[in-house]
Amino acid sequence: MMRIKISNPLCPIKLFLVAVIIASSAGCAKFTKYEYVSHVFPLDDGNELVISTFASGYPNIKSRISFLYKELYAPQSVYFQFFVREAGVTGGRNPNIESILVRNFSYEFPGQASVVLIQDYPDGFWQQGQRDYDSENLEPVPCVDGWHVRVKFDLVLNGRAFKGEHILYAREVSKVYPLIFDALR
C-alpha cells in the first residue's frame, strides 16, 4: 500500500476546497417561472407599446439535494407591465413622448368580466404590484401553462389616439444553471 506524505499543512485545506468546487460545479439548479408571452404594439414611427408580465413573487424551493440539485418554482401568478418605449430600444427614457394619457388598460379571461388595471394614467410606464405605480394594490393575475388572456388598451400619445387588443398565451419557462451560480448570489 502506498502512502502519500503531505509536507504542506495547507494542502488538506486546498484539497477540501477543490473538492467543494468540483462537487458544486457538478450540481445544477432548475428555475421554473410562468409568464404570458409579451407583445409589442407599433404605435407610430418613433414609439411602440410593450405589454409583458413578470413573476408575482419570489420562487420557492420544491426539492433539494445538497451540493447536487435544487429546484425552484415561481408562483403561478404574474404582474403586468405596460411600457411605451422608443421604437427598437429596450429600455430607458422615451424622448418621443411629449404628452401621454393611458385612458384604459385591462385584461380579461374567456367568459369573465374585464379587469381594469390602469385608468387615466399620465405616464408611459406602469408596473402592477409595485408601490410607486400600483396605488390600488391589484391582485396578481393567475397564470397556468396553456391558458390565455386578452389585453386591451386605449391611450392618447402626442395628441393621437391609439387602441388595441391582443391575446397573450401563458407558458411555463424553465432554465437550468450550475449550482455554483446560485451559491455566488
Side-chain angles (χ1 to χ4, degrees), residues 41-97:
F41 295 91
L43 298 175
D44 58 23
D45 291 339
N47 299 291
E48 57 193 17
L49 167 63
V50 181
I51 295 176
S52 59
T53 60
F54 58 97
S56 66
Y58 294 105
N60 295 317
I61 298 173
K62 293 293 182 186
S63 64
R64 179 183 202 130
I65 302 171
S66 294
F67 299 110
L68 293 178
Y69 184 72
K70 183 174 168 181
E71 193 169 11
L72 302 147
Y73 279 88
Q76 282 194 277
S77 58
V78 296
Y79 287 133
F80 275 101
Q81 179 173 290
F82 185 97
F83 182 30
V84 177
R85 68 183 185 192
E86 183 178 5
V89 177
T90 58
R93 187 184 156 283
N94 186 344
N96 301 322
I97 296 178

Side-chain angles (χ1 to χ4, degrees), residues 13-32:
I13 295 170
K14 289 180 182 177
L15 287 173
F16 174 75
L17 290 174
V18 169
V20 168
I21 290 171
I22 290 171
S24 62
S25 66
C28 65
K30 179 182 178 187
F31 173 67
T32 301

Side-chain angles (χ1 to χ4, degrees), residues 6-7 40 85 100 120 128 133-134 144 155 159 172:
I6 300 174
S7 60
V40 178
R85 68 183 185 192
I100 187 168
D120 298 326
Q128 182 182 0
Y133 304 104
D134 188 9
V144 176
L155 66 90
E172 179 182 291

